Amino acid sequence: MMRMSPLFPALASAAAKPAIRFGDQILSYDDLREEAGALARRLAGQERAAVWATPTRETAVAAVAALLAGVPLIPVNPKIGTGELDHILGDSTPSALLAPAGAKLPPALAALPRIGSGAGADGAPDDPATGADLPDVDAERPALIVYTSGTTGPPKGVVLSHRAVASTLDALADAWQWTERDIVVHGLPLFHVHGLVLGVLGPLRRGGTVRHLGRFSPEGVREALAGDGTMLFGVPTMYHRLAETAATDERLAAALAGARLLVSGSAPLPLPDHERILAFTGRRVIERYGMTETMMNTSVRSDGPPATGTVGVPLPGVEVRLVDDAGAPITGDDGETVGEIQVRGPNLFTEYLNRPEATAEAFDGSWFRTGDMAIRDTEGCYRIVGRKSTDIIKSGGYKIGAGEIENVLLSHPGVAEAAVTAAPDPDLGERIIAWIVPRDAGSQPSPQDLTDHVAGQLATHKRPREVRFLSALPRNDMGKVLKRELT
């Protein structure tokens, strides 16, 4: 019998139970063990493998196979540009590509030796006798190399070990009471930690089921949760659409109300969407906080008190602290003092591939500098106020978080989307600029109306000095607003 990876003990025991479902395609644990095992034996011995990470069963099987074989996996965004792809391939030098037969690939990827599910690299059928056993995989061996978005330079390859993957998933299982009975529903991309690690590897580590929608839609969520889904993973743009739709779709509201857990991540969920989903469904969305380099750091616990607007408390095994501008730890829990989040624990990445200087610069001793700014309340919960580089505005001697202004703007009935940035100002140092997508382009609110709306709920120094209107905010594949494009 094929040796099973300690990451996926259920492969040896869950048998006919569904493991993954993509649309009408369902693989049981028996099916997954056979298909991923065969692919892992063909993959064994490769130095690194790229995967064409489409939202399909083939990507899920490829990820499991690479982990079984102990081959570091490099997820590639199917919408990637030529320049970024060339950088990633040149930096990571994969020796093979995991992609299904017939996939249309960029020339640079197509040039790699291809290994696909159901056939060897040369297109020959599987040979059951090939490679009977798979190697034991050391916990510190790289499992994934995930490339950052590259907002401050070329994307960096974040090396994540088997240890980091296992520890973050087990910590979330504790925080969310996540078991083999759960069926996780989502429509997230599979080239990021959120969709691939939490959304696919997470259910499989628990011995549960992942039900991927292929493409997110409120209708797909409604069908999946009204069926057998118990947990929903999404990003704020998805929950915004669900809140909009649930206002008039009673069946969607009922399906969301019936889920055991609604989880949002990858960016802060605006308070107006929290409130609307609670009003329509009676259920609260919980948030967690992580990043590619750290996997998951904190979460609102499913067995804890409500903590809307926060990302909860540190996960088991993870240490979190706030530091001031001089790097000194902030010890108070007053809910007002802003500091940079630093973390340490078994969830951390190993290194930036081929970037020892960048790796060293990312740490303050044993603490990883996240670049995210937050406050800590009296309950020990953290509330993210923004990125140090883009979301903290220093205006008139005050340090202002863009997120709280955005939440107030989003509470205005005429605002559909909002983002807040800063521009140099000779008097204030930086002035606050609000970027607004109106709910109705034909009758958008006036700049003065929006400025007064903010000043009526926050201190006057937090009001926007300029208001600019757009038809849509620039966003990446995970729904995060690309503030560097707002100029």
Side-chain angles (χ1 to χ4, degrees):
M1 176 182 283
M2 182 183 72
R3 183 201 60 80
M4 285 296 105
S5 164
L7 273 175
F8 307 116
L11 284 179
S13 59
K17 179 179 180 177
I20 60 175
R21 175 175 178 179
F22 284 77
D24 295 331
Q25 295 183 308
I26 300 174
L27 284 184
S28 70
Y29 274 88
D30 272 347
D31 296 332
L32 181 60
R33 180 176 65 246
E34 180 179 346
E35 188 169 332
L39 182 56
R41 287 190 288 270
R42 293 197 303 276
L43 187 59
Q46 297 289 339
E47 183 177 359
R48 298 181 187 120
V51 59
W52 189 236
T54 54
T56 59
R57 63 179 287 280
E58 286 84 0
T59 300
V61 171
V64 174
L67 291 167
L68 291 176
V71 174
L73 188 70
I74 306 151
V76 177
N77 179 356
K79 298 179 181 178
I80 197 168
T82 301
E84 186 176 354
L85 176 61
D86 289 345
H87 167 74
I88 289 173
L89 295 182
D91 188 54
S92 62
T93 60
S95 57
L97 171 69
L98 292 164
K104 294 182 179 179
L105 303 168
L109 271 182
L112 292 172
R114 192 187 307 192
I115 301 175
S117 298
D122 59 358
D126 291 339
D127 179 0
T130 300
D133 295 315
L134 291 169
D136 289 328
V137 180
D138 186 272
E140 297 305 317
R141 182 162 179 77
L144 297 162
I145 302 173
V146 182
Y147 277 81
T148 61
S149 57
T151 55
T152 58
K156 296 189 290 289
V158 178
V159 179
L160 298 167
S161 67
H162 285 248
R163 172 258 307 156
V165 172
S167 67
T168 214
L169 293 178
D170 292 347
L172 289 176
D174 179 270
W176 297 344
Q177 314 299 297
W178 191 355
T179 75
E180 74 281 355
R181 295 184 297 277
D182 282 307
I183 297 173
V184 175
V185 175
H186 72 93
L188 296 162
L190 300 187
F191 47 87
H192 284 300
V193 165
H194 194 172
L196 183 60
V197 177
L198 273 61
V200 174
L201 305 183
L204 297 179
R205 180 159 176 78
R206 300 272 69 81
T209 303
V210 54
R211 180 168 177 175
H212 197 285
L213 302 174
R215 182 181 180 86
F216 169 83
S217 70
E219 296 75 22
V221 169
R222 182 183 65 203
E223 178 187 349
L225 292 181
D228 51 9
T230 66
M231 298 167 69
L232 176 66
F233 291 176
V235 297
T237 51
M238 295 175 179
Y239 279 104
H240 178 75
R241 286 185 61 190
L242 291 172
E244 293 275 316
T245 306
T248 56
D249 186 337
E250 293 182 358
R251 290 188 299 158
L252 174 60
L256 292 169
R260 188 180 74 78
L261 210 60
L262 305 175
V263 183
S264 181
S266 296
L269 179 63
L271 285 174
D273 288 328
H274 269 293
E275 292 164 357
R276 289 197 296 167
I277 290 173
L278 178 61
F280 299 144
T281 70
R283 299 302 305 275
R284 294 182 184 273
V285 179
I286 70 170
E287 295 187 82
R288 86 296 181 283
Y289 163 64
M291 55 195 304
T292 306
E293 289 92 336
T294 68
M295 309 289 276
M296 294 300 112
N297 302 309
T298 70
S299 180
V300 176
R301 294 186 61 90
S302 66
D303 57 353
T308 301
T310 81
V311 293
V313 296
L315 291 170
V318 181
E319 295 179 76
V320 181
R321 71 177 184 179
L322 298 179
V323 299
D324 61 21
D325 289 343
I330 296 170
T331 57
D333 296 337
D334 58 9
E336 295 182 3
T337 304
V338 176
E340 182 185 2
I341 299 174
Q342 294 188 348
V343 300
R344 65 182 178 187
N347 54 315
L348 292 190
F349 75 128
T350 304
E351 63 177 346
Y352 291 119
L353 186 67
N354 304 322
R355 300 284 295 276
E357 297 86 0
T359 304
E361 290 172 4
F363 283 86
D364 177 4
S366 60
W367 295 88
F368 176 74
R369 300 183 172 107
T370 67
D372 290 318
M373 307 296 285
I375 63 172
R376 184 174 52 238
D377 66 22
T378 55
E379 302 300 318
C381 293
Y382 289 81
R383 179 166 66 83
I384 310 293
V385 299
R387 290 290 292 169
K388 187 176 184 178
S389 58
T390 58
D391 294 319
I392 300 301
I393 301 167
K394 295 179 179 178
S395 182
Y398 295 97
K399 187 184 293 184
I400 303 165
E404 66 173 333
I405 304 173
E406 290 164 354
N407 274 324
V408 172
L409 289 166
L410 287 166
S411 70
H412 189 286
V415 174
E417 297 181 68
V420 168
T421 63
D425 186 276
D427 245 358
L428 299 169
E430 290 183 319
R431 66 182 181 277
I432 299 169
I433 301 176
W435 303 81
I436 302 296
V437 176
R439 191 168 292 279
D440 182 354
S443 58
Q444 67 187 30
S446 70
Q448 188 63 50
D449 182 24
L450 294 172
T451 298
D452 291 345
H453 180 70
V454 173
Q457 297 188 47
L458 300 176
T460 55
H461 65 265
K462 297 179 180 179
R463 69 189 186 280
R465 303 290 174 151
E466 294 182 45
V467 177
R468 303 179 185 178
F469 293 95
L470 299 171
S471 59
L473 295 176
R475 296 180 183 272
N476 66 11
D477 293 294
M478 297 299 287
K480 291 183 181 179
V481 177
L482 300 173
K483 291 192 174 184
R484 295 181 186 279
E485 294 186 12
L486 294 173
T487 58

